[in-house]
Amino acid sequence: GLEAAIGKNGVASNYSPQYVQNTYEFLQNVRQGNALFTMPATPVKCAGAPQKIAYLADELFRAKGIRNQVDVNYYTALGKIFAIDKYADAMNAVAKSRDISVNLFHDLVAVDGPAKQATFKILGSGPRAGESVTVPYEFLHVTPPMKPYDFIKRSALANAAGFVDVNQYTLQHSKFSNVYALGDCSSLPTSKTAAAAAAQSRVLKHNLLSQIKGSSVPALEYDGYTSCPLVTGKHKLVLAEFSGYTGTPQETFFFNQANEHAFSYWLTADVLPAVYWNSMLKGTWNGPSAIRKVANPTSAN
């Protein structure tokens, strides 16, 4: 029922260019009841975005003086609020401090727009696994399940999951030596973010050009670096940086980036957009590894 409900009935999604404007409009209309925010079981673009909007909605409700009349609920099909323990602990603390209910192993399976009800299937291996629960809502922000493009999934380039099947370190295809891939279409087992694609681009450019030139220079290896700036308020942000391969934080700066910080917000809101448009799209931004050597040389945090 999502396709019929979205864009009306209090249902919106920041992942849709068509319906993203409805998010703020529908949040402004909330006076009481449940505000629900969902995260599916599939890989998604920017896996932190589904919860960011929950924190911003909480802030909006508080500014309007109606937070006591609105229950903010985050429903994720996953078993943790965030994949990396350090940041999971931080985000659980943020949610608790804002009185945001976090519901793990809850996968959105149906939306009844006219009735304003959302149905979740309980996943995992707990005593209620396989059951369904229906929750009334006043506002529903949906992160839709995502999948690879069909033209990739049906091609000889894809693995069983439908992503371009590449070596996770060299980014070279596992069968076709003249094919490389990075970013969301690739099978690389790390979060699908622009930060990951930037770091991957350095490895791909080096290895591809070395092959073209017939060079014997050793291949560069990608370590799974990715980043997720978790906006928790208008001027607050948890800057998660880590390896999706090892689960180890790879923080660029000397301070503990799991803490909400105004500097992290400024960096994400004002600096990174300029880096994206003026450097990354031109192929000159390869991620923050060089900056990290100066700003956090001992990896103290």
Side-chain angles (χ1 to χ4, degrees), residues 240-277:
E241 290 185 287
F242 55 94
S243 167
Y245 294 172
T246 66
T248 304
Q250 293 185 340
E251 297 183 349
T252 298
F253 301 100
F254 61 88
F255 60 88
N256 184 356
Q257 294 178 197
N259 294 331
E260 295 177 281
H261 208 288
F263 171 80
S264 298
Y265 181 90
W266 169 79
L267 182 74
T268 301
D270 296 329
V271 177
L272 291 183
V275 170
Y276 177 83
W277 292 109

Side-chain angles (χ1 to χ4, degrees), residues 165-168 170-174 176-181 211:
D165 190 11
V166 294
N167 181 284
Q168 71 179 55
T170 66
L171 281 62
Q172 186 177 35
H173 199 275
S174 60
F176 306 105
S177 62
N178 62 334
V179 173
Y180 291 78
Q211 182 181 11

